């Protein structure tokens, strides 16, 4: 096998820049399954779900450690090439291969022979190629049917190397789950699954001439593995219901990793999708029940889903959180906590003001760019690119702010070259904590305005939902009956989550990242319920 081509310096630059930008934009990026990534020199096709346009590729580039793969060759739609924009330059500078989509060209004129030849040559040299088999980025709740191109590439390469008994090529599937893909300081889970490895001697069914059923079978296996690690539903309403079931099952404050949160939510989602229950054998959250309770019926699950949606809608209307229903507070305690939150939010805002001055041009630039971009098309055709716009415009405006700050302080350049980014990061962390305290203050204020009779009724509703959710989780899904204890002892501590009372308190003051009790938090004063309506999706 010939040696892989050297990595261009622009790839290193782009990787460093966007590692920083992604770390700033997303509060926590948790990467699971790094041990499944084939080492440099072993041909590998990385395939992931595609919901966030260029951001998906950037997340994968930064999530794969350089000690595992020195370069990930990207692909992108050809219409993004040859433009006088920063996005176009970044795509081309990273060595990205253009793919012509049929929808972008007149019927029959799209030609990807050169693209396929380059990808084949890269793989035969031991490289790693990133492909999104859905074919296009989509702001949809469900994963689109995968195209068979990846399996056909594997078939072609195996056939070309059929005489090399030691040749092998892998398909590494990856699930990317964004808690709120376009919102500042949200969280991301990247899960690499065990790769599918193919060899000419072990997979003669993929050697040319190949039966197309075998190509479809490989594609189906890829789809199943990608879907098992993320949310995949026919409607946003099902995802809403599953996300409401999770905090009722594992309440606020449960020491749950982001990976466990996604797996638990997905377990509820699969139950609501199917309407009947079977323990998920792929779940690593806890012991699965070997028997399905006969007491759980389709109509019970459907009714639970509808009741969860109604409960969530009422909480959203009142602008209060489920935890305030679960743990009621007396009015004197609410007032006392509001005073504390007001003091803490004011103090953090005050000490972060200096750095926020530097962040203001960046925030204004990205807001203006995204506001105008949203007008260019419907939700399903624009929302998947919002994060990309925020990242690109944030990077450009951030570099301009940094350069301007250095220019204005040339006389103390050795100090400001380090002090400016440190000040900006610390002020961001302080401001993030200030917004968290202000969000709690606003929620407590709303709680005071809610009629006591309404709160009593909601507590009764929640108690009934809790009983039914636990029944579903334990008997139907095989989840542990005591999640707070189970996840605290589980030992899987991902970034952003701490275990132990003192560690939890100390983590609140961390400058590295904010302690999160709820993986749905973003840098907003209110809970996120921004999924499109059923008509839009």
């Amino acid at each position: 096998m010939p040696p892989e081509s050297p990595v261009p310096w622009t790839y290193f630059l782009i990787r460093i820049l966007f590692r920083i930008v992604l770390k700033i934009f997303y509060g926590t990026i948790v990467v699971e399954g790094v041990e499944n990534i084939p080492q440099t020199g072993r041909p590998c096709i990385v395939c992931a779900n595609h919901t966030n346009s260029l951001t998906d590729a950037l997340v994968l580039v930064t999530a794969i450690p350089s000690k595992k793969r020195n370069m990930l060759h990207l692909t992108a739609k050809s219409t993004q090439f040859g433009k006088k924009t920063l996005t176009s330059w970044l795509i081309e500078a990273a060595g990205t291969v253009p793919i012509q989509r049929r929808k972008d060209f007149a019927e029959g004129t799209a030609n990807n022979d050169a693209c396929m030849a380059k990808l084949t040559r890269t793989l035969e040299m031991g490289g790693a190629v990133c492909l999104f088999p859905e074919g296009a980025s989509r702001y949809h709740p469900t994963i689109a049917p995968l195209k068979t191109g990846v399996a056909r590439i594997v078939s072609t390469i195996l056939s070309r190397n059929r005489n090399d008994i030691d040749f092998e090529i892998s398909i590494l599937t990856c699930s990317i789950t964004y808690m709120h893909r376009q919102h500042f300081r949200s969280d991301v889970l990247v899960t690499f699954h065990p790769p599918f490895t193919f060899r000419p001697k072990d997979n003669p069914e993929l050697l040319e001439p190949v039966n197309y059923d075998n190509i479809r079978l490989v594609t189906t296996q890829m789809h199943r593995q990608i879907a098992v690690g993320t949310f995949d539903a026919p409607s946003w309403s099902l995802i809403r219901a599953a996300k409401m079931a999770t905090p009722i099952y594992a309440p606020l404050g449960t020491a749950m990793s982001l990976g466990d949160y996604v797996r638990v939510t997905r377990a509820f989602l699969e139950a609501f999708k199917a309407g009947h229950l079977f323990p998920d054998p792929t779940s690593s959250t806890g012991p699965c029940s070997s028997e399905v309770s006969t007491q759980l019926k389709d109509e019970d699950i459907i009714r639970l889903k509808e009741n969860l949606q109604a409960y969530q809608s009422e909480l959203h209307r009142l602008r209060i959180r489920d935890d305030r229903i679960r743990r009621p507070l007396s009015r004197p305690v609410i007032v006392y906590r509001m005073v504390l939150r007001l003091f803490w939010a004011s103090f953090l805002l005050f000490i972060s003001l200096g750095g926020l001055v530097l962040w203001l041009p960046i925030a204004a630039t990205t807001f203006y760019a995204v506001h105008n971009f949203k007008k260019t098309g419907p939700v399903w055709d624009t929302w998947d690119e919002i994060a990309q716009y925020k990242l690109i415009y944030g990077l450009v405006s951030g570099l301009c702010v940094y350069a301007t700050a250095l220019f204005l302080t040339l006389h103390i350049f050795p100090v400001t070259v380090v002090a400016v980014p440190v000040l900006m990061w610390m002020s961001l962390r302080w401001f993030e904590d200030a917004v968290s305290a202000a969000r709690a203050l606003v929620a407590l204020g709303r709680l005071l305005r809610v009629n006591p009779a309404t709160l009593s009724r909601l507590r009764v509703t929640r108690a009934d939902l809790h009983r039914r959710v636990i029944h579903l989780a334990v008997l139907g899904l095989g989840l542990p009956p005591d999640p707070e204890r189970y996840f605290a002892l589980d030992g899987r501590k991902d970034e952003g989550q701490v275990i132990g009372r003192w560690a939890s308190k100390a983590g609140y003051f961390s400058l590295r990242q904010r302690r999160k009790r709820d993986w749905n938090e973003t840098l907003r004063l209110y809970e996120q319920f921004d999924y499109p309506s059923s008509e839009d999706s």
Side-chain angles (χ1 to χ4, degrees), residues 325-536:
I325 304 300
R326 180 177 74 97
R327 297 189 300 183
L329 301 173
S330 65
R331 289 183 174 266
V333 172
I334 292 176
V335 173
Y336 170 71
R337 291 192 177 187
M338 288 181 66
V339 172
L340 289 181
R341 299 296 191 280
L342 177 61
F343 169 78
W344 187 234
S346 302
F347 172 73
L348 289 171
L349 180 61
F350 175 75
I351 63 175
S352 62
L353 283 177
L356 291 180
V357 172
L358 298 174
W359 283 107
L360 187 60
I362 302 173
T365 302
T366 54
F367 176 81
Y368 179 78
V370 171
H371 179 71
N372 286 339
F373 175 70
K374 284 182 178 179
K375 300 177 182 178
T376 62
V379 165
W380 55 266
D381 196 35
T382 55
W383 277 33
D384 66 312
E385 295 189 43
I386 290 177
Q388 168 188 318
Y389 268 72
K390 288 183 177 180
L391 289 171
I392 299 296
Y393 280 90
L395 173 62
V396 174
S397 55
L399 291 174
C400 291
V401 167
Y402 186 43
T404 302
L406 294 182
F407 177 76
L408 295 176
T409 57
L410 281 176
H411 56 292
I412 53 170
F413 176 83
V415 175
T416 54
V417 71
V418 175
V420 169
V422 169
L423 174 62
M424 293 182 70
W425 174 253
M426 293 176 66
S427 64
L428 174 61
R429 281 291 300 106
W430 289 329
F431 183 65
E432 194 175 14
D433 285 338
V435 171
S436 177
R439 182 167 56 238
L441 172 65
V442 171
L444 289 169
R446 293 192 184 110
L447 193 61
L448 278 178
R449 297 199 301 269
V450 179
N451 189 300
T454 301
L455 292 176
S456 297
R457 175 174 55 79
L458 287 173
R459 278 194 288 273
V460 172
T461 300
R462 192 195 186 279
D464 176 63
L465 287 173
H466 178 264
R467 176 186 58 79
R468 293 157 63 192
V469 165
I470 293 295
H471 187 68
L472 166 61
V474 176
L475 297 181
L477 303 175
L479 297 175
D482 187 359
E484 293 179 87
R485 176 179 171 79
Y486 174 82
F487 290 112
L489 298 176
D490 186 39
R492 288 181 287 188
K493 297 188 294 182
D494 291 336
E495 292 186 44
Q497 194 70 24
V498 291
I499 295 179
R501 187 171 181 180
W502 166 247
S504 179
K505 300 294 183 185
Y508 189 90
F509 303 100
S510 170
L511 290 178
R512 183 165 175 260
Q513 59 193 11
R514 190 171 70 82
R515 182 202 68 183
K516 287 195 173 183
R517 301 175 68 200
D518 183 354
W519 288 112
N520 277 309
E521 291 182 9
T522 63
L523 197 63
R524 299 259 175 145
L525 286 174
Y526 51 86
E527 294 292 296
Q528 295 300 147
F529 293 92
D530 56 355
Y531 295 124
S533 65
S534 299
E535 292 74 19
D536 293 328

Side-chain angles (χ1 to χ4, degrees), residues 288-347:
C288 287
S289 173
S290 59
E291 296 182 0
V292 178
S293 172
T294 56
Q295 300 176 26
L296 295 166
K297 301 177 181 178
D298 292 358
E299 54 267 27
D300 294 332
I301 301 171
I302 294 172
R303 192 177 303 112
L304 174 60
K305 177 194 70 175
E306 294 171 347
N307 293 158
L308 284 168
Q309 291 170 334
Y311 176 67
Q312 184 185 53
S313 297
E314 186 154 15
L315 292 182
H316 181 51
R317 179 181 62 82
L318 297 172
R319 295 286 184 176
I320 57 177
R321 301 184 66 166
D322 170 69
D323 190 61
R324 297 307 179 195
I325 304 300
R326 180 177 74 97
R327 297 189 300 183
L329 301 173
S330 65
R331 289 183 174 266
V333 172
I334 292 176
V335 173
Y336 170 71
R337 291 192 177 187
M338 288 181 66
V339 172
L340 289 181
R341 299 296 191 280
L342 177 61
F343 169 78
W344 187 234
S346 302
F347 172 73

